[in-house]
């Protein structure tokens, strides 16, 4: 047994509906601009431009019902409701028509974003990590196995802040669908069990403040809620 200098970071995991076992998280991939109306509201061309990705650390996960401390160094902290794909089987250079074989299940996620830092990075041609990959930035509800719910391609995707609906579209509006996203990602790097892919957010993104109760869902996949709380103190 390896003798570590200090206790290694525990594995982050996500609950699976109807299953006592947890889904251990390896990597979190996120697709940028994958709904036309959101691309437009971000001031970008909504055409079928080849998708791009960014990542978040696995330990940024916040489960359903969790408290999200308002993050540091932002004055424009945004929600982004997203359909999340949970990978259950390794693959490389996967053809789109074989992508389903690699999917364990689906969940509803929220790609929390420090919009001011993201836009500053975008304008300066810098990496997006400081806008996207910060602590407590990857909200996810329980995973629903595809063996139970199938592979949803239509269904309402929505988000509400304090009960007021802010985002309301359909996952059939995805510019690049789940199978295409898996295929494209797997040509760039090997995907492995435990990978999560946040597939992009519809239009209507906006700011959050301390005290906000955020709910969201995808029909056929589930719902989740979080509460924005005071900034974290200490480490
Ligand atoms: Mn996003």
């Amino acid at each position: 047994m390896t003798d570590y200098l200090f206790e290694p970071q525990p594995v982050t995991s996500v609950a699976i509906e109807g299953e006592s076992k947890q889904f251990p998280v390896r990597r979190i991939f996120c697709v940028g601009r994958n709904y036309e109306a959101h691309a437009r509201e971000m001031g970008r061309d909504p055409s079928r431009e080849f998708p791009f990705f960014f990542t978040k650390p696995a330990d940024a996960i916040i489960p359903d019902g969790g408290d999200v401390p308002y993050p540091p160094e932002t004055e424009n902290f945004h929600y982004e409701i997203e359909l999340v794909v949970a990978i259950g089987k390794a693959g490389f250079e996967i053809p789109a028509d074989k992508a389903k074989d690699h999917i364990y299940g689906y969940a509803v996620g929220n790609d929390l974003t420090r919009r001011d830092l993201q836009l500053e990075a975008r304008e300066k041609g810098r990496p997006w990590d400081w806008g996207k990959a910060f602590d407590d930035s990857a909200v996810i509800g329980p995973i629903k196995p595809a063996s139970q719910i199938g592979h949803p391609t239509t269904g309402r995707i929505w988000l509400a802040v304090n009960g007021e609906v802010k985002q309301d579209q359909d996952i059939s509006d995805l510019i690049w669908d789940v199978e295409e996203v898996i295929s494209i990602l797997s040509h760039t790097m090997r995907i492995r069990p435990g990978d999560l892919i946040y597939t992009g957010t519809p239009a209507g993104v906006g700011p959050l403040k301390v005290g906000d109760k955020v709910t969201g869902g995808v029909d056929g996949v589930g719902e989740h809620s979080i509460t924005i709380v005071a900034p974290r103190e200490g480490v």
Side-chain angles (χ1 to χ4, degrees):
M1 214 166 107
T2 309
D3 189 14
Y4 293 109
L5 180 63
F6 49 83
E7 194 65 29
Q9 167 87 2
V11 173
T12 305
S13 63
V14 179
I16 303 168
E17 190 129 313
E19 169 70 78
S20 60
K21 292 178 176 147
Q22 293 277 120
F23 182 92
V25 179
R26 176 185 178 249
R27 291 186 182 170
I28 303 174
F29 297 99
C30 306
V31 185
R33 293 194 291 272
N34 203 11
Y35 290 84
E36 287 191 12
H38 175 63
R40 258 186 238 109
E41 76 181 348
M42 295 303 291
R44 285 297 190 256
D45 180 357
S47 62
R48 211 163 182 268
E49 180 191 347
F50 206 63
F52 65 93
F53 296 84
F54 56 90
T55 61
K56 293 180 186 251
D59 67 0
I61 291 277
I62 293 278
D64 180 34
D67 286 345
V68 176
Y70 196 94
E73 301 199 321
T74 183
E75 276 158 32
N76 201 13
F77 178 43
H78 275 207
Y79 54 80
E80 292 193 358
I81 194 76
E82 308 204 0
L83 173 67
V84 181
V85 183
I87 297 297
K89 184 183 158 197
F92 181 55
E93 298 181 339
I94 301 163
D97 65 1
K98 295 274 190 280
K100 277 185 191 146
D101 300 346
H102 299 266
I103 298 172
Y104 174 76
Y106 296 86
V108 181
N110 196 331
D111 165 21
L112 295 173
T113 300
R114 294 194 285 204
R115 189 72 69 203
D116 40 4
L117 302 192
Q118 181 214 359
L119 293 181
E120 185 187 1
R122 193 178 89 173
E123 274 145 33
K124 292 181 174 167
R126 290 178 182 163
W128 281 18
D129 305 55
W130 264 222
K132 289 289 195 179
F134 52 96
D135 296 341
D136 311 310
S137 62
V139 178
I140 188 167
I143 293 170
K144 295 267 182 83
S147 60
Q148 290 174 25
I149 64 162
H151 296 274
T153 54
T154 63
R156 184 182 179 220
I157 179 168
W158 62 275
L159 177 139
V161 180
N162 304 320
E164 189 183 329
V165 174
K166 303 285 192 182
Q167 294 186 282
D168 195 357
Q169 262 184 261
D170 195 287
I171 57 168
S172 62
D173 295 333
L174 280 166
I175 298 172
W176 297 89
D177 68 26
V178 165
E179 292 167 55
E180 291 170 322
V181 164
I182 290 171
S183 178
I184 292 163
L185 175 62
S186 75
H187 280 77
T188 302
M189 54 184 98
R190 286 161 174 82
I191 59 167
R192 302 265 185 228
D195 288 344
L196 297 174
I197 307 171
Y198 284 58
T199 57
T201 198
V205 297
L208 293 168
K209 60 182 188 318
V210 173
D212 282 345
K213 179 108 177 159
V214 186
T215 49
V218 176
D219 281 359
V221 178
E223 296 187 4
H224 72 237
S225 68
I226 51 167
T227 305
I228 311 303
V229 300
R232 190 187 290 277
E233 288 188 27
V235 292

